[in-house]
Amino acid sequence: MKKDDMKSAKSRKGLWWIAAGIVLILAALSLALFNWHQDRQNGEAAQEYLTELLEQIPQTSDSAEEQTTSGGGDLLAEYAENQPQEEEPVAEAGGYDFIGYITIPKLEIELPVLSEWNYTNLKISPCRYAGSALTGNLVIAAHNYNSHFGRINELNTGDIIYFTDCGGAVREYEVVQTEIIDGYDVAAMTADDDSYDLTLFTCTWSGTNRVTVRAVEKSN
């Protein structure tokens, strides 16, 4: 092969690699833009459902934190005595059933919690994956959108989480552990029901693992 032909072949090969690189960059940007749009869209939708849900939940104070620290314990005791069932009361908003809402002050998020978990519901808001706040083994799953549970890995031991059910009862939880669980180890989410009163989890960006936050209910 002549030198000119060799140079031409190398030039074409170089251009091909450049073009391939540009395509990959554009694909990555498109994916990032799509994820950003989904995050924003679903975050706004969750807030709309929360607004509708709050109109139906009895409010005894201005915030979950205030209710818990200013007599919320009496409310919880009274509520528990009158609730023989092991399931939280359910309220409908936007055609969906919710069991209440979760407040995480450190992350500045407040989100409604759907009563049933499935992939469709997961795009809307956090969902009850298993258990109940009434029986002390509530597990809540959510997408890793920043507007949902995408930042729960930032929670540390001692951080506070509130769950308000549709009857107006507020429970205060303290984070005791954050761990990474294999995405295929489904049983690990509920294996320690007796040790943790509340578990939050979401998938990592790779989707192969689950960021898992464990918390215990604080006694008032």
Side-chain angles (χ1 to χ4, degrees), residues 12-91:
R12 287 195 299 272
K13 188 175 182 180
L15 290 173
W16 185 90
W17 281 112
I18 291 173
I22 292 173
V23 169
L24 290 174
I25 291 172
L26 290 175
L29 288 174
S30 297
L31 180 60
L33 182 61
F34 174 78
N35 288 335
W36 174 82
H37 177 71
Q38 287 289 98
D39 189 336
R40 180 176 178 180
Q41 184 180 52
N42 292 323
E44 291 175 349
Q47 292 307 309
E48 290 178 4
Y49 290 125
L50 177 61
T51 299
E52 186 175 344
L53 186 64
L54 288 174
E55 295 176 354
Q56 304 178 55
I57 297 177
Q59 299 293 315
T60 58
S61 64
D62 295 332
S63 69
E65 182 174 3
E66 182 182 341
Q67 180 169 333
T68 305
T69 57
S70 60
D74 293 336
L75 173 64
L76 289 179
E78 180 181 349
Y79 181 76
E81 289 175 0
N82 296 311
Q83 296 295 325
Q85 77 269 23
E86 295 183 352
E87 295 278 336
E88 288 84 3
V90 174

